[in-house]
Amino acid sequence: MSTTSLTAPTDPHIEHDGTKKTSSGAFDLAHLVAALPGALRKLDPRQMWRNPVMFIVEVGAVLTTALAIAEPFTGGPQSSGGSEIPASFTWAIAGWLWLTVIFANLAEAVAEGRGKAQADSLRKTRTSTTAHRLQTYDAFTDAGAESAVVEPISSADLQLGDHVVVIAGELIPGDGDIVWGIASVDESAITGESAPVVRESGGDRSAVTGGTRVLSDRVVIQITSKPGETFVDRMIGLVEGASRQKTPNEIALNILLASLSIIFVVVALTLNPIAGYSAATVSIPVLVALLVCLIPTTIGALLSAIGIAGMDRLVQRNVLAMSGRAVEAAGDITTLLLDKTGTITYGNRQATEFVAMPGVSQGELIRAAALSSLSDPTPEGKSIVDLAIGCDVTANEPAAGEVVPFTAQTRMSGIDLAAGGQVRKGAGSAVMSWISESEPLTEPVQLALAERVELISNDGGTPLVVATKDADGAGRILGVVRLKDIVKEGIAERFSELRAMGIRTVMITGDNALTAKAIAAEAGIDDFLAEATPEDKLALIRKEQAGGNLVAMTGDGTNDAPALAQADVGVAMNTGTSAAKEAGNMVDLDSDPTKLIDIVRIGKQLLITRGALTTFSIANDIAKYFAVIPAMFAGVFPALDRLNIMSLSSPASAILSAIIFNAIIIVVLIPLALRGVKYRPASASKVLSRNLLVYGVGGIVAPFVGIKLIDLVVSLIPGF
């Protein structure tokens, strides 16, 4: 396949929290009309048999239509159960049965239509890209970038394992990992975000996607996908529903609906022989009408649309679910594993306090900390300067001298002043060793410093010790800067909501246990795993699953791949490695770890929507029984007329009104099936009680009202 410059599926309607919501425009008349041809194509029995309930309705529609055509020639029965029915009755039943099948197909067609429109927009923008393939990567690393030998080929001809060179301004010709270099990449075609991102070799942010554009520098990319199997191909297949398979829950519900349908087919077939003992005849159109009213046609019509819409809601939030099973699993999650940095905290530690040593003025400590940070480009260094300015300490220009950058070996940074003297800030043990090079610290100083460092560490902060040496090399500890991971605003409330859902949250961090405990307490996390290694993550997931829990987690690195594969819901970041994206069953195009919380909500909304509409479908059959059964036998058994509690005008009108309501209610519920039932965090028992009250009772009441109103209209037709 040729790689593409593409436009991601977007939705202009954005929630206040930044997530995208389903457009109400998907339910307007224009979209319904556009989906109608697809609904008619689905009348093909080879497609309909996959939905047993609606297949039975279609068979009934075909049979009733045939009887309606034959009646003028055969003089078919015009009575049922001792009650006269009009000549147009069979045609009316046949027409509304066909509409019932079409409306059911329309629900699925509308759900699929939005995904197909998004897929079409991707296909239209696909253009072949020229790739500069290296003849041999080893020769490139030996000879250097300038003398490397490349051959221009079409991106469609790239094979797994090829190495390509991409320079500023060029499109990346295929999915891969950067194996050499660093570059700024425009990924707006995938994520919809205009801000460029940095991708580099040798880390967890090395993966790039075909169709995105390099904005700066030069990189070598190793192709990690075969032609026709790129990330964009998978995106197209997923958003149009071509790759969607029925989930285990859907299959189980389909089996239940098919079983109920078979039972009611047997019931309907035995009614006529039973009625014969009472000298009554039940016409075939009436039996078909009874069967359609008995079987759960509402949920049978909407079941597929609910599943498609659930995946579509994820796509609109820039999350690709590799299977419907993953979406359902998200709704059943009981344990949620989250990284601390970037998910619970902002990720950049901020200076929050200066703690001076005994005998050192606060101003002296602040000036030294600011002086050593003016040339420090890190977020921590900038936050120290900002905090110093907030304390009315002016240090606007870097002092003359040589900046000493932070290194993993020294674990310190600072400045060597041109006028003599040195200033350092860094880890406590590193600074103490630096000071002790000239003169050992006295015991009181060591105790005072240890007390301040321990106090900050126990409170979840990171201590940064500040010290100076004069021109003669005499050192002095000035104090400690408290750095703190800032917990994101509102995150505690979100975890409280998860707790109300019955979900246990676990924070995973490489920090020590003291820091992890403090952050977990502030954020409202249920538990934490400190100093976590990839093996620790995998062991924790297996332990939770062994206890009967379903586990979700996020990850972006190759070292996260085993845990992502083991988790029931593994959400890989799009910025992560190819290994992580292959291991997970969802990919977050925005690379926002907090979106895992939204994924859980969408999964629960999918399950609740399916349960609510199943409850409604079964409940509304009750009212149809009260409409159809008395109408069938009231002529033979007058006592049954007492069950006609809706006071329907005639048996024919009652049966036709029930069939009309059965068809119309499907169209009415299409928006709800696509949008989903609004989810509110609550325990399972409360959710069940609310659904039974709203959709159970509502499913009983609505048909009584609807059938009565339709009967008032039908009764105006001559003969009814």
Side-chain angles (χ1 to χ4, degrees):
M1 96 149 222
S2 57
T3 349
T4 71
S5 170
L6 53 121
T7 303
T10 58
D11 192 321
H13 303 279
I14 306 296
E15 299 280 15
H16 68 278
D17 61 357
T19 57
K20 299 175 185 177
K21 66 179 181 179
T22 305
S23 169
S24 60
F27 314 132
D28 59 28
L29 183 60
H31 285 79
L32 293 175
V33 172
L36 187 57
L40 295 175
R41 285 193 295 270
K42 288 178 178 292
L43 291 175
D44 186 341
R46 290 172 297 182
Q47 295 189 46
M48 289 298 301
W49 74 269
R50 297 187 181 93
N51 187 337
V53 175
M54 300 316 300
F55 181 70
I56 289 175
V57 178
E58 184 178 41
V59 171
V62 171
L63 178 60
T64 309
T65 302
L67 291 174
I69 295 173
E71 274 183 1
F73 307 100
T74 61
Q78 295 298 314
S79 64
S80 184
S83 301
E84 292 297 322
I85 56 176
S88 59
F89 176 80
T90 305
W91 276 112
I93 292 295
W96 280 101
L97 288 181
W98 281 115
L99 286 176
T100 302
V101 178
I102 292 172
F103 291 162
N105 292 343
L106 191 64
E108 186 173 1
V110 169
E112 291 177 348
R114 289 184 296 173
K116 288 180 179 178
Q118 293 165 344
D120 288 342
S121 69
L122 295 178
R123 288 192 179 96
K124 289 177 182 177
T125 57
R126 293 166 78 169
T127 57
S128 180
T129 304
T130 299
H132 302 289
R133 182 172 64 183
L134 288 168
Q135 288 189 352
T136 58
Y137 179 61
D138 291 340
F140 168 83
T141 56
D142 295 338
E146 300 301 328
S147 57
V149 179
V150 299
E151 54 179 332
I153 65 170
S154 170
S155 59
D157 297 328
L158 287 173
Q159 299 298 319
L160 184 68
D162 283 348
H163 290 83
V164 296
V165 178
V166 186
I167 62 175
E170 292 183 347
L171 288 176
I172 295 173
D175 295 355
D177 288 325
I178 295 177
V179 294
W180 179 89
I182 180 172
S184 177
V185 180
D186 177 10
E187 294 186 342
S188 59
I190 294 292
T191 66
E193 298 293 336
S194 58
V197 295
V198 175
R199 295 288 177 263
E200 59 183 318
S201 62
D204 290 342
R205 295 181 176 269
S206 60
V208 289
T209 305
T212 57
R213 187 180 298 275
V214 172
L215 299 179
S216 68
D217 303 294
R218 174 189 309 213
V219 291
V220 175
I221 298 169
Q222 182 178 17
I223 301 300
T224 57
S225 60
K226 298 178 181 179
E229 298 180 6
T230 66
F231 187 78
V232 176
D233 288 314
R234 293 163 68 188
M235 178 188 288
I236 291 174
L238 288 166
V239 298
E240 71 178 355
S243 300
R244 179 184 179 273
Q245 301 295 324
K246 287 186 177 180
T247 65
N249 283 347
E250 280 184 283
I251 294 173
L253 188 53
N254 264 318
I255 293 173
L256 173 62
L257 297 181
S259 301
L260 290 174
S261 299
I262 292 172
I263 291 171
F264 289 126
V265 166
V266 174
V267 170
L269 290 175
T270 56
L271 274 179
N272 200 38
I274 293 173
Y277 286 102
S278 303
T281 301
V282 181
S283 69
I284 293 179
V286 172
L287 286 175
V288 171
L290 173 65
L291 175 62
V292 171
C293 289
L294 285 174
I295 62 178
T297 51
T298 306
I299 186 59
L302 299 174
L303 181 59
S304 182
I306 294 169
I308 294 172
M311 294 186 70
D312 182 67
R313 280 193 292 276
L314 280 178
V315 170
Q316 292 189 19
R317 287 162 174 80
N318 268 0
V319 177
L320 291 183
M322 301 308 170
S323 68
R325 181 193 296 264
V327 185
E328 281 190 353
D332 287 328
I333 287 300
T334 54
T335 302
L336 194 58
L337 307 185
L338 305 107
D339 282 330
K340 178 191 69 116
T341 305
T343 305
I344 298 168
T345 65
Y346 285 105
N348 294 327
R349 294 175 299 176
Q350 304 290 308
T352 59
E353 184 184 8
F354 297 106
V355 183
M357 292 286 286
V360 178
S361 68
Q362 191 78 358
E364 184 180 7
L365 167 62
I366 296 174
R367 277 190 293 272
L371 185 64
S372 65
S373 303
L374 285 171
S375 298
D376 186 348
T378 65
E380 291 88 348
K382 292 177 180 178
S383 73
I384 291 174
V385 175
D386 291 339
L387 184 60
I389 293 173
C391 295
D392 295 328
V393 173
T394 57
N396 298 322
E397 296 294 336
E402 182 180 355
V403 174
V404 179
F406 176 87
T407 67
Q409 289 75 29
T410 64
R411 296 189 296 157
M412 296 186 300
S413 63
I415 186 171
D416 291 341
L417 300 173
Q422 299 171 304
V423 183
R424 295 289 186 273
K425 67 177 189 295
S429 58
V431 173
M432 289 175 65
S433 296
W434 178 70
I435 287 288
S436 300
E437 289 174 356
S438 55
E439 183 179 351
L441 292 173
T442 64
E443 185 175 352
V445 172
Q446 291 184 32
L447 291 175
L449 180 60
E451 179 183 352
R452 284 157 175 76
V453 168
E454 185 178 359
L455 180 65
I456 292 173
S457 298
N458 289 344
D459 194 36
T462 301
L464 204 62
V465 178
V466 180
T468 63
K469 282 184 180 180
D470 59 23
D472 297 327
R476 190 160 67 115
I477 301 289
L478 300 183
V480 184
V481 180
R482 181 196 298 266
L483 295 179
K484 189 175 185 301
D485 273 346
I486 306 300
V487 174
K488 291 183 176 180
E489 295 180 3
I491 198 74
E493 288 76 9
R494 301 194 74 180
F495 288 140
S496 178
E497 290 181 7
L498 289 171
R499 197 172 296 109
M501 300 179 198
I503 297 174
R504 176 172 167 265
T505 53
V506 181
M507 180 182 75
I508 300 176
T509 177
D511 289 340
N512 61 65
L514 288 175
T515 300
K517 181 178 180 180
I519 294 294
E522 183 178 354
I525 298 288
D526 296 318
D527 201 354
F528 64 88
L529 178 64
E531 300 177 355
T533 64
E535 293 77 15
D536 293 334
K537 296 178 186 179
L538 188 59
L540 176 60
I541 293 174
R542 288 174 174 169
K543 179 182 177 182
E544 292 287 338
Q545 291 172 331
N549 295 314
L550 267 68
V551 181
M553 74 160 288
T554 62
D556 59 2
T558 301
N559 61 350
D560 291 324
L564 286 171
Q566 181 69 36
D568 300 284
V569 177
V571 184
M573 302 295 102
N574 190 45
T575 57
T577 62
S578 298
K581 289 193 282 189
E582 289 295 330
N585 49 25
M586 291 188 186
V587 177
D588 177 16
L589 301 181
D590 295 330
S591 300
D592 176 9
T594 61
K595 200 178 290 183
L596 184 55
I597 300 174
D598 296 318
I599 291 172
V600 171
R601 296 175 67 92
I602 291 173
K604 286 189 174 296
Q605 185 185 40
L606 169 66
L607 296 178
I608 289 173
T609 300
R610 184 183 296 153
L613 291 183
T614 300
T615 302
F616 183 92
S617 177
I618 295 175
N620 72 23
D621 288 341
I622 296 176
K624 289 180 282 187
Y625 302 157
F626 279 95
V628 177
I629 298 297
M632 290 179 62
F633 295 105
V636 178
F637 303 106
L640 287 178
D641 193 53
R642 296 176 183 175
L643 297 178
N644 186 16
I645 58 178
M646 288 181 278
S647 300
L648 302 178
S649 58
S650 70
S653 174
I655 295 170
L656 183 58
S657 297
I659 288 294
I660 293 174
F661 175 84
N662 196 64
I664 291 177
I665 196 62
I666 294 173
V667 178
V668 173
L669 291 176
I670 288 177
L672 182 61
L674 299 184
R675 186 178 60 248
V677 175
K678 186 174 182 180
Y679 174 70
R680 298 179 180 86
S683 63
S685 59
K686 289 185 178 180
V687 171
L688 178 61
S689 299
R690 183 171 64 241
N691 282 348
L692 288 176
L693 179 63
V694 175
Y695 296 97
V697 176
I700 295 174
V701 174
F704 277 97
V705 176
I707 291 174
K708 178 60 180 178
L709 293 176
I710 295 171
D711 176 73
L712 294 176
V713 176
V714 171
S715 63
L716 299 177
I717 302 174
F720 286 90

